[in-house]
Amino acid sequence: MLGRRPGRRRHPGGPEVLTQPPDSGSAPAGAGADEGGAGRGAAFFDLDRTLMAGSSAFEFARASYRQGILTRRQLAAGAWANVKFRLQGSTDAGTDAVRAQIFDLMRDVPVRDVMRLGPEVLAGILPRVYPQMLRVAYEHQDAGRPVYIVTAAAHELAEVLAQVLTFDGGLGARSEIADGRYTGRPDGPFTYREGKAEAIRALAAREGIDLAASWAYSDSESDLPMLRVVGHPVAVNPDAELGRVAREEGWQVLRFERLGRRLALAGTAVAAVAIGGAGSLMVGRRRGAPPAPPPSRVRWLR
């Protein structure tokens, strides 16, 4: 890809991609560009609204309800938080509150019970994974870079999802375990904001990864520490603040056209259900609901 003019390329069976290489002449993110003798790099992907549409936490909450770990009231609160997250993105205060609530809910829950949620949680997440982002991740792997999920979700979820997607690993929030049960306390830094950058630096030190030759992908301003810890930050469907920073610092931007409109429409529908008190819809399994169609076009921007 080095030295090619900006233009269109088409993946087999995929949407047309419009690429705009940066001024340095290197290929777009994930295109397999040679790092020119630099150390081994890696690629780090935020999960919610970057690798997948919506919030993985909601899928975990819904599965937890069905197994009796969460109450209906707690599930409804999770549904509303998911709507706000999809439409507005995360906030520090909101994330701290969710973190405290989740750790408290998990107190004294057997680890085995949570691990058994895996198949149902994955059944909700996998249809929401963006095929465009999978192609980017696999291009990194084909170029010799390991790829990792980095998320504020549970470390167990990050690892299981990484294995299913054939990624090289996952970094998530760890909970303290004693005698096979969660204690309700964290076990290490929370993988949010600076915590993500801290987890990436620790992994890089263990695995001999050159962060200057690495890539990171996120949609949110909250992930600026993660994006700035690598040499190649990429904003994916960025929120307003991340979009501003990306423009000012000349970062690459990956947008899925019409995504915001689809999320807004979907979020409005879910909000109507939640406000209307149709709890049975949230509890019952949605049968025959097709996965969200992938956007028809992707644009690389500077």
Side-chain angles (χ1 to χ4, degrees):
M1 293 292 296
L2 288 175
R4 293 185 183 179
R5 295 183 303 169
R8 290 178 173 82
R9 57 188 176 95
R10 186 179 298 274
H11 296 277
E16 186 177 64
V17 180
L18 180 61
T19 60
Q20 177 61 54
D23 295 339
S24 64
S26 61
D34 185 1
E35 291 291 343
R40 183 184 70 144
F44 302 95
F45 292 80
D46 171 51
L47 177 57
D48 295 348
R49 301 208 318 170
T50 300
L51 192 58
M52 63 171 284
S55 169
S56 59
F58 176 61
E59 301 300 335
F60 181 85
R62 185 165 59 178
S64 298
Y65 170 81
R66 288 172 175 157
Q67 296 301 318
I69 296 175
L70 296 182
T71 66
R72 181 178 299 205
R73 182 184 297 275
Q74 291 164 339
L75 178 66
W80 177 240
N82 182 58
V83 171
K84 292 193 293 183
F85 179 80
R86 293 179 73 178
L87 296 180
Q88 303 171 5
S90 61
T91 65
D92 289 345
T95 299
D96 288 343
V98 169
R99 178 196 185 192
Q101 181 184 28
I102 290 298
F103 279 123
D104 184 63
L105 289 172
M106 300 309 294
R107 181 181 294 118
D108 205 37
V109 173
V111 175
R112 180 177 59 186
D113 289 353
V114 173
M115 296 303 293
R116 287 173 175 172
L117 299 177
E120 188 169 352
V121 175
L122 290 176
I125 289 177
L126 292 178
R128 297 177 177 274
V129 172
Y130 293 127
Q132 297 91 339
M133 294 307 297
L134 284 183
R135 284 194 289 273
V136 171
Y138 295 155
E139 287 174 346
H140 278 297
Q141 284 185 321
D142 291 345
R145 304 183 196 101
V147 297
Y148 299 91
I149 297 171
V150 187
T151 175
H155 181 76
E156 293 86 348
L157 172 61
E159 284 283 8
V160 169
L161 184 58
Q163 183 175 6
V164 170
L165 297 178
T166 68
F167 282 22
D168 295 275
L171 301 173
R174 294 180 180 270
S175 299
E176 185 183 70
I177 298 171
D179 299 324
R181 293 175 178 268
Y182 292 106
T183 66
R185 295 185 294 270
D187 183 17
F190 186 40
T191 43
Y192 177 73
R193 281 202 180 275
E194 182 58 37
K196 284 190 176 182
E198 182 179 343
I200 289 173
R201 285 192 291 265
L203 175 69
R206 291 194 307 269
E207 301 295 330
I209 293 171
D210 182 357
L211 291 179
S214 296
W215 307 71
Y217 298 80
S218 179
D219 71 290
S220 175
E221 172 273 339
S222 66
D223 281 338
L224 282 173
M226 165 181 165
L227 293 168
R228 285 178 169 143
V229 81
V230 301
H232 303 284
V234 181
V236 181
N237 304 317
D239 60 24
E241 179 61 17
L242 178 57
R244 181 189 66 79
V245 172
R247 288 191 300 272
E248 291 180 354
E249 301 197 16
W251 294 351
Q252 287 183 323
V253 176
L254 175 59
R255 293 189 185 276
F256 304 156
E257 292 184 342
R258 297 187 299 279
L259 175 66
R261 185 185 311 168
R262 285 177 179 162
L263 289 186
L265 291 175
T268 301
V270 176
V273 170
I275 295 172
S280 60
L281 181 60
M282 304 306 300
V283 174
R285 184 182 299 273
R286 292 180 297 176
R287 300 185 181 276
S296 60
R297 193 180 181 194
V298 181
R299 295 184 295 128
W300 284 98
L301 306 175
R302 272 292 283 175

